[in-house]
Amino acid sequence: MVCGGGLAAWMTVATLARQLPDTVRITLAEIDRDHRCADLFYGTVSGPGSYAFNLAAGVTEPALVLGSSAAFSWGSKYVHWAEGGRSWIQCFNLTLPVIDGVLMHQYLVQQGMTRLDPFLLGAVAGSRGTFAHPPRSPGAAGQQPLARAEYGYHFDPASHARCFAAAVPPGRIHHLKGALTRVAVGDGAITGIALDGADMVTADLYLDCSGPSAELLSRLDPAWLGGRALQISADDVAEARLGPPVRSVSFHDQGWAAQTPLRGSTRSLTVSDATASCNARGGLSASATLGRRRRAWAGNCVGIGHAAGIVEPLTPAPMMLLERDIERLMTLIPVSTRR
């Protein structure tokens, strides 16, 4: 049983539906609440691993870019950081080549070159606001200028979640929806849940995708190893043309802000300390304490995404961690093929 809603739940359900045998019954207990606010902490950019992850969940790249607001991304442009004196593009790129046993950056130092970005295609293309798809053919890749370039996606969590929901094969899951009214616990395990006063529903394994509240996992392991408390807000501005394939991240006195080009809009994301006096600009806002739960797997319950841990969305790390959570689950999940 997958309990929750929003991005983590639908990414998990789509992956389970595609990769588990039909002998495993999958139930989605979708908690009836607005998950868009807490999902802001997944950020707005994913890494190069998203392409393979999405395919394994049944989401092809054409389906993603045509069925959601996602756009291609070379990475992030950090503007006026380090006391306002530095700006750079942190792009995706394969490891630089080793020439005759010598690392490439050592050749650059020998030639008195102190910048790597002229040799990183994503950084060069990103600074010019252009995107070209790297080659997929392994045989021809070595001869292509784009061979070492890698890319991710700009995304809006709500739009992204709908894409994964559409990828779930019809009839593959049992879908329940309503307010969570009861979580039963016994002998260090979840014994069932109830939605909106309905009968108790049970499962052998519970996957908590309910976000920072961790509605199930917190019943078994309430300890939260926390750090800074942050507030986050988002605002979308309609755009007739797609912006550059890099998001722009700038520092301000109370935190930082990111401008992420999406298909049809630009998302403005503002992050600051929870005690800061700045006001949320957009219709979506949330707060959370960075950190992790002491155990992501307790008894018969596994925390996925924010139910297990929360990191600051300054880099693609939140989305990468969510994908790794689901991938590790698929390697460890106990499955029987008996009916």
Side-chain angles (χ1 to χ4, degrees), residues 5-339:
L7 184 59
W10 283 112
M11 287 176 63
T12 301
V13 165
T15 303
L16 294 174
R18 290 284 175 173
Q19 298 189 32
L20 290 184
D22 292 340
T23 52
V24 179
R25 185 183 184 188
I26 303 168
T27 298
L28 171 61
E30 186 177 1
I31 299 177
D32 191 8
R33 72 165 69 133
D34 190 347
H35 298 275
R36 295 177 301 165
C37 293
D39 279 355
L40 293 177
F41 279 97
Y42 286 119
T44 56
V45 63
S46 67
S50 291
Y51 178 84
F53 177 90
N54 295 347
L55 281 183
V59 179
T60 65
E61 189 167 85
L64 181 70
V65 298
L66 296 177
S68 74
S69 61
F72 294 111
S73 174
W74 291 126
S76 300
K77 180 180 181 180
Y78 294 90
V79 182
H80 303 316
W81 285 71
E83 299 181 352
R86 295 190 60 193
S87 299
W88 71 94
I89 292 180
Q90 182 179 341
C91 67
F92 308 118
N93 203 83
L94 292 175
T95 305
L96 293 174
V98 178
I99 305 171
D100 294 331
V102 180
L103 298 175
M104 183 176 175
H105 72 269
Q106 294 179 341
Y107 281 107
L108 301 182
V109 171
Q110 183 187 50
Q111 298 300 315
M113 304 184 70
T114 59
R115 296 180 62 93
L116 269 179
D117 48 310
F119 301 92
L120 305 177
L121 193 141
V124 175
S127 65
R128 298 180 179 181
T130 60
F131 181 85
H133 205 293
R136 288 288 176 201
S137 172
Q143 307 300 320
Q144 298 288 338
L146 288 169
R148 307 194 69 78
E150 292 199 306
Y151 66 92
Y153 303 103
H154 294 158
F155 70 93
D156 158 43
S159 175
H160 222 59
R162 290 193 293 269
C163 242
F164 282 88
V168 177
R172 181 64 180 91
I173 67 170
H174 181 50
H175 191 179
L176 308 173
K177 187 173 182 178
L180 182 65
T181 58
R182 185 184 174 195
V183 178
V185 178
D187 296 327
I190 304 294
T191 57
I193 70 168
L195 300 179
D196 276 339
D199 293 337
M200 190 72 68
V201 183
T202 63
D204 297 312
L205 183 66
Y206 295 84
L207 306 180
D208 191 340
C209 300
S210 61
S213 60
E215 300 288 353
L216 305 188
L217 188 59
S218 63
R219 304 299 206 281
L220 303 179
D221 187 3
W224 178 261
L225 308 179
R228 292 188 301 131
L230 297 181
Q231 56 182 324
I232 188 170
S233 63
D235 188 22
D236 294 330
V237 178
E239 301 284 358
R241 296 185 59 185
L242 180 63
V246 290
R247 67 169 185 165
S248 178
V249 186
S250 57
F251 173 83
H252 60 79
D253 291 341
Q254 296 179 320
W256 54 271
Q259 303 291 317
T260 306
L262 301 171
R263 294 179 66 250
S265 67
T266 294
R267 165 151 293 190
S268 297
L269 196 71
T270 303
V271 178
S272 60
D273 189 87
T275 60
S277 58
C278 57
N279 297 319
R281 294 183 302 164
L284 296 177
S285 62
S287 59
T289 299
L290 305 182
R292 62 180 176 85
R293 203 154 295 281
R294 185 177 57 181
R295 291 183 297 167
W297 189 325
N300 62 346
C301 181
V302 182
I304 300 295
H306 290 158
I310 305 174
V311 298
E312 189 169 357
L314 182 60
T315 71
M319 190 61 159
M320 294 169 68
L321 289 174
L322 174 57
E323 293 168 351
R324 298 298 86 77
D325 280 355
I326 299 171
E327 289 175 344
R328 284 194 296 268
L329 171 69
M330 298 309 301
T331 65
L332 298 174
I333 191 169
V335 173
S336 172
T337 57
R338 295 181 179 179
R339 291 189 179 273

